[in-house]
Amino acid sequence: MKPLTEDDIRGSLVNAAPGEAEHMPMPGLHEMVWEDREYLGWRDPGSPSRGYLVAWRHGSPVGIVLRAAATRLQAGSAICSLCNTPQPASQVTMFSAARAGEAGRRGDSVGTYICADLACSLLIRIAPPPLDMQPSPAQVVASRAAWLTARLEAFTGRVLQAA
């Protein structure tokens, strides 16, 4: 992922309410290892139901304000729709995002299950042990990153889609 500045992030939000970008808390940008991310995602420590996701799309950053569902999955396992990683249900949350533009102002939204901590980029980099007759761990991580990017592009496209 190409690095982002605070101004890039604040200016990228496509579905924020008026004034929301100015009050959005920032993650520690100086700590980011940008080349190990497909997107930047974080939760708002002051409002646990709010999250943010910023990804590059067609050369420009696109930021999305997310809302976590009030209820969480309690038992069993679940799969994140972005990184496609199975994990305990309590670690996957339904997030909704208002659509961009007029559709969002009318109340239209889209939703999907995403890792509760929005750290898919880190999760896909947990390489499997090397096995004979299988792709190398580096190839597995590269494949996971490509699929994550494709699913992220689809979700972002749904938020940007005029309804």
Side-chain angles (χ1 to χ4, degrees), residues 4-29 40-47 50-55 61-67 118:
L4 294 162
T5 66
E6 184 174 329
D7 287 341
D8 291 336
I9 294 168
R10 291 189 193 286
S12 74
L13 295 178
V14 297
N15 66 340
E20 190 169 9
E22 292 80 35
H23 301 291
M24 173 178 60
M26 286 287 125
L29 298 178
L40 177 61
W42 73 102
R43 298 289 292 265
D44 184 336
S47 179
R50 191 174 303 134
Y52 304 94
L53 184 151
V54 182
V62 174
I64 300 171
V65 178
L66 301 168
R67 302 280 186 238
L118 299 172

Side-chain angles (χ1 to χ4, degrees), residues 20 48 51 71 75 79 84 88 106-107 115-116 118 123 130 135 144-145 153 160:
E20 190 169 9
T71 58
I79 296 178
N84 205 38
R106 285 194 316 263
C115 291
L118 299 172
L123 195 57
R144 289 175 183 170
E153 173 73 21
L160 293 171

